[in-house]
Amino acid sequence: MRIGIVCYPTFGGSGVVATELGNALANKGHQVHFITYDMPVRFDAFSSNLFYHEVVVSDYPLFDYTPYELVLTSKLVDVVKHEKLDLLHVHYAIPHASAAYMARQILASQGVSIPYITTLHGTDITLVGRDSSFEPVITFAINESDAVTAVSKSLKDDTCQYFNVNCNIDVIPNFIDIGRYQKSKNALSKFSYNRKGNEKVIVHTSNFRPVKRVEDVVHVFGKIRKEIPARLLFVGDGPERHRIEQMCRDLDICDDIQFLGKLKAQEQVLSIADLFILPSETESFGLAALEAMAASVPVISTNTGGLPEVNEHGFSGYMSKVGDVDDMATNALRILKEDKDLAQFKKNALAQAKKFELSAILPQYEALYERVLAR
Ligand code: GMT
């Protein structure tokens, strides 16, 4: 098949999922064309089946806000026609689904037929999409899609609850290439870090937005550190980072915390981790938790959104109510205090991640593509 993928090319989960999906489809012999404003972070530049088409947004003094969606639409029309694409798969509804709709209409007027599939990832529904400034367009573009997928059952339910949409949504969960994470585990970590004695390494990865409640990570860590030697590694960056750094200073625990910033190969850091903390306010899936589990790292998370579909309470880690940092710290210590418990949780985390192995999920997307093309 000749597939066009539209996504945000950044470190965010939706971009990572879209890019890994494209890489995997290309490995299976499909021709995959990425249409984005920048080279996706995980793009496999050495695959002969992968192509990248940049959406170049030029500035003009009249525009206070450059109309990205129109430039994207024009690019979609061009790539579909000239690369003879069979279908478009857009990740994150805003503004990709409406751009795909517009491209489909323009192409139809030229006698070219192109179906589009929309994959909903989370904040496009739970935070941004619900905003009345987007809602009518999102509802329309979802209903017009030739197929819609959601990355968890919880996200499907939220979509059906918040939007007046036809609820014919396929749940196709996010996936993971376990080999990539286990390989880093078995090799010597490129991440240079000298563990002091028997200290436990705790990791949090996010875009440091308020929805991630990064301050809760610091509170939980502060409680753990009172009981056992531990170090906290932050991966990622975003608007809350400055406030979190200030919090570490105020609590006088900065010596045990490192901010590593945005990392391309975060599996190097996970390979030395003992615990992952994800205390989000809402999380449609929690890809970061799955990545941790693929590296055999148990997860302390909240029980919000799609997280119960990913993290199994008492098995791959524990879940607590949003904001309950005492419970999170108690659970973290249940995992970390005894080496034999930690070893068991690490094994369980990997077993849980295996349920989301790429090889099990990829055929679900291929089957969906075939179904759409057969109509
Ligand atoms: O978490 C974010 O803020 C980024 C966002 C994105 O679109 O990149 O992540 C969403 O999509 C991921 C991939 O499907 C999910 O794993 C995340 O749970 C989801 N984030 C939220 O729902 C907050």
Side-chain angles (χ1 to χ4, degrees), residues 180-194:
R180 175 190 178 126
Y181 291 82
Q182 287 297 311
K183 205 161 79 198
S184 298
K185 244 191 134 49
N186 297 330
L188 197 62
S189 177
K190 288 200 186 94
F191 173 64
S192 75
Y193 161 67
N194 295 321

Side-chain angles (χ1 to χ4, degrees), residues 123 220 328:
T123 47
V220 174
M328 288 181 221

Side-chain angles (χ1 to χ4, degrees), residues 249-265:
R249 288 181 207 121
D250 295 344
L251 295 169
D252 196 20
I253 54 176
C254 293
D255 283 352
D256 293 333
I257 299 180
Q258 261 172 272
F259 291 85
L260 304 174
K262 291 180 182 175
L263 288 180
K264 276 195 178 167

Side-chain angles (χ1 to χ4, degrees), residues 12-15 17 92 121-123 126 151 174 207 211-212 282-287:
S14 62
V17 169
Y92 206 91
H121 278 275
T123 47
T126 53
V151 298
N174 287 332
N207 52 17
V211 68
K212 302 294 172 183
T282 159
E283 201 70 67
S284 70
F285 182 88
L287 185 66

Side-chain angles (χ1 to χ4, degrees), residues 204-224:
H204 169 80
T205 307
S206 76
N207 52 17
F208 283 68
R209 297 203 174 270
V211 68
K212 302 294 172 183
R213 296 184 65 99
V214 186
E215 68 276 18
D216 287 359
V217 179
V218 178
H219 286 307
V220 174
F221 177 68
K223 289 172 194 293
I224 296 172

Side-chain angles (χ1 to χ4, degrees), residues 26-27 29-33 43-51:
N27 275 339
H30 300 288
Q31 200 181 87
V32 181
H33 294 257
F43 185 81
D44 177 5
F46 302 107
S47 164
S48 57
N49 281 334
L50 278 180
F51 301 86

